[in-house]
Amino acid sequence: IGEIRRFLRDDNPVKVSRSVKETANKINRAREKLSASLGRDPTISEIAKEVGMEREEIVNAMEASQLPTSIYETLYQ
Amino acid sequence: MKLKNKMSIEILSLPENVALARVTVAAFAAQLDFTLEDLEEIKVAVSEAVSNSLIHGYASKTDCMVGINAVIYDNDVLEVEIKDNGVGIADIQQAMQPAYSTTPERMGLGFSFMQSFMDSVQVDSAPGQGTTVKLTKKPSKTVDKQDN
Amino acid sequence: MKLKNKMSIEILSLPENVALARVTVAAFAAQLDFTLEDLEEIKVAVSEAVSNSLIHGYASKTDCMVGINAVIYDNDVLEVEIKDNGVGIADIQQAMQPAYSTTPERMGLGFSFMQSFMDSVQVDSAPGQGTTVKLTKKPSKTVDKQDN
Ligand SMILES: Nc1ncnc2c1ncn2[C@@H]1O[C@H](COP(=O)(O)OP(=O)(O)O)[C@@H](O)[C@H]1O
Ligand SMILES: Nc1ncnc2c1ncn2[C@@H]1O[C@H](COP(=O)(O)OP(=O)(O)O)[C@@H](O)[C@H]1O
Ligand SMILES: [Mg+2]
Ligand SMILES: [Mg+2]
């Protein structure tokens, strides 16, 4: 068990743990659903209402679910 | 223009604080009616500006401070100012040109990203005086707000 | 104790900035090896302290500033200071008692939450002098660190 945990930890630092990914998936599903019904990209407040989370927490979840090698810069590559 | 909300954050010039700066600004910007894509764009622009302060302004010294002021105005414009007290820029126009970089291995696209992702980018800088980059962005009108 | 990282954030005393403060501190705290549960607890503690500044310190006036300083020390201790320039507290010991509140409809559990979720809570306050609440928390040792 220790080994499995270590493996999970190494591969999934706290920032991209499973529950964080699940939250991000939930947000992405809400975004797609609203896009279809509204015919445009939903705003953050519309998504917040749909998933029952605060806007700031959605921002946090989206950031946390991003892999270290994301679109962000050019910085220190 | 009247101010609806404001916040400021000061971070130590450590690379790991770039993510902190961008998530803080995005969480603040989320008080306006931006889309997730808008917020991603704001995050990229803030990351580029803060990274520039760390890499160029402070030459990667990690004991300096970067200040970020963010304001939401009455007309729903978000304004973000990223400020360092680093080496400054001699020729701002040249620095902002696509693919221009003073560091050979860099792509020189930071300012281009800021310009394409934000409504306006204003740079105030002089050698030895530090650099302030002011970014603005306003949510595009949603269908609902146009009342149809 | 040497300092490994620091940041500070100043927010206007608007209710919507409580979430901003909490997310910012959590994003900073995430640089340490906290569990997600730890981070949630830190968020609750920060929310309680900032809410107190808005509701009690500033009596819900929305044009005042709350300052938050966060530091990570060499020994991996996170320290968060929440500071207002509001009315202050006359009897700190009484204020910190569970279920004590000067506002009839409130539960008086803010300080109790801070105490149960953080390793230490220190309050510095006097009438007319504002209030500073200092919270600390250190990640509990993880499996990896125990080397098994
Ligand atoms: N905060 C800053 N302080 C000093 N110089 C800067 C700063 N920001 C940008 N510069 C200068 O502007 C140039 C272009 O910046 P940018 O478009 O982000 O490209 P890059 O970072 O890839 O070099 C940099 O190479 C640097 O010389
Ligand atoms: N920042 C502050 N400024 C002034 N008074 C405060 C502050 N924080 C707490 N207090 C006082 O301490 C009391 C207890 O706080 P708390 O445990 O959070 O309970 P509650 O907020 O529900 O009243 C408050 O009712 C208030 O009188
Ligand atoms: Mg750059
Ligand atoms: Mg309280």
Side-chain angles (χ1 to χ4, degrees):
Chain A
I1 291 213
E3 211 162 6
I4 293 170
R5 277 166 82 166
R6 189 155 42 222
F7 171 78
L8 287 175
R9 268 195 86 80
D10 287 346
D11 216 39
N12 286 307
V14 63
K15 287 171 205 163
V16 281
S17 75
R18 211 173 74 198
S19 71
V20 170
K21 277 188 198 148
E22 277 165 12
T23 308
N25 287 339
K26 188 166 102 178
I27 293 164
N28 282 324
R29 278 195 304 272
R31 181 188 193 172
E32 278 162 31
K33 187 183 147 192
L34 288 169
S35 293
S37 64
L38 296 169
R40 59 169 167 79
D41 216 11
T43 66
I44 181 93
S45 49
E46 288 165 339
I47 295 169
K49 211 183 286 171
E50 175 75 21
V51 298
M53 284 172 66
E54 281 177 289
R55 291 163 299 181
E56 291 82 357
E57 297 293 348
I58 290 174
V59 169
N60 195 32
M62 296 310 284
E63 169 76 21
S65 68
Q66 230 125 33
L67 297 170
T69 46
S70 68
I71 48 173
Y72 296 113
E73 337 103 57
T74 58
L75 175 65
Y76 305 114
Q77 330 184 307
Chain B
M1 196 48 57
K2 260 190 65 189
L3 175 158
K4 235 158 70 176
N5 197 358
K6 69 171 171 178
M7 70 104 187
S8 64
I9 173 166
E10 268 204 296
I11 55 169
L12 202 58
S13 55
L14 287 167
E16 53 264 45
N17 289 340
V18 176
L20 174 67
R22 81 172 162 245
V23 81
T24 302
V25 172
F28 181 73
Q31 294 181 5
L32 285 171
D33 251 341
F34 285 116
T35 63
L36 287 186
E37 198 186 320
D38 289 332
L39 293 174
E40 280 306 311
E41 293 179 348
I42 292 167
K43 285 207 259 177
V44 173
V46 170
S47 291
E48 291 294 339
V50 175
S51 303
N52 278 352
S53 292
L54 269 48
I55 300 169
H56 305 297
Y58 293 134
S60 300
K61 267 186 297 158
T62 57
D63 58 349
C64 309
M65 299 303 288
V66 177
I68 297 151
N69 295 314
V71 177
I72 292 173
Y73 289 103
D74 248 4
N75 59 353
D76 282 358
V77 166
L78 169 77
E79 185 185 282
V80 185
E81 244 179 41
I82 297 99
K83 192 179 161 53
D84 68 59
N85 301 303
V87 296
I89 304 173
D91 186 338
I92 296 174
Q93 256 199 313
Q94 182 182 50
M96 291 179 83
Q97 248 144 44
Y100 177 86
S101 177
T102 46
T103 314
E105 72 277 16
R106 299 190 57 81
M107 297 198 295
L109 295 177
F111 280 122
S112 305
F113 277 127
M114 291 182 234
Q115 283 171 318
S116 63
F117 288 155
M118 304 295 284
D119 296 341
S120 77
V121 180
Q122 207 181 301
V123 180
D124 187 13
S125 186
Q129 305 290 301
T131 300
T132 301
V133 175
K134 193 194 279 183
L135 310 167
T136 69
K137 193 180 180 83
K138 189 183 156 92
S140 28
K141 280 201 189 77
T142 60
V143 177
D144 302 11
K145 288 203 177 147
Q146 288 164 342
D147 265 352
N148 60 346
Chain C
M1 196 47 60
K2 259 190 66 188
L3 175 159
K4 237 160 64 176
N5 197 359
K6 68 172 170 177
M7 68 105 187
S8 65
I9 173 165
E10 267 205 296
I11 55 167
L12 202 57
S13 55
L14 287 167
E16 53 263 45
N17 290 339
V18 176
L20 174 68
R22 150 178 102 220
V23 162
T24 302
V25 172
F28 182 72
Q31 294 181 3
L32 285 169
D33 240 345
F34 285 115
T35 64
L36 286 180
E37 198 187 321
D38 288 333
L39 293 176
E40 284 306 314
E41 292 180 348
I42 292 166
K43 285 204 241 176
V44 173
V46 170
S47 291
E48 291 294 337
V50 175
S51 303
N52 279 351
S53 292
L54 303 198
I55 299 169
H56 305 298
Y58 293 134
S60 300
K61 267 186 296 156
T62 57
D63 58 348
C64 308
M65 299 303 289
V66 177
I68 297 150
N69 296 315
V71 177
I72 292 173
Y73 289 103
D74 248 3
N75 59 352
D76 281 358
V77 167
L78 170 76
E79 184 185 283
V80 185
E81 245 180 38
I82 297 98
K83 191 178 161 54
D84 67 60
N85 301 304
V87 297
I89 304 174
D91 186 338
I92 296 175
Q93 256 199 311
Q94 183 183 47
M96 292 180 82
Q97 249 145 43
Y100 176 85
S101 176
T102 47
T103 313
E105 70 278 16
R106 299 190 57 81
M107 297 199 295
L109 295 177
F111 280 123
S112 304
F113 276 124
M114 292 182 233
Q115 282 172 318
S116 64
F117 287 155
M118 304 295 284
D119 295 342
S120 77
V121 180
Q122 207 180 304
V123 181
D124 187 13
S125 186
Q129 305 291 301
T131 300
T132 301
V133 174
K134 194 194 277 185
L135 309 167
T136 69
K137 193 178 180 86
K138 191 183 154 91
S140 28
K141 283 206 188 72
T142 59
V143 177
D144 299 15
K145 287 198 178 152
Q146 288 165 345
D147 264 353
N148 64 340

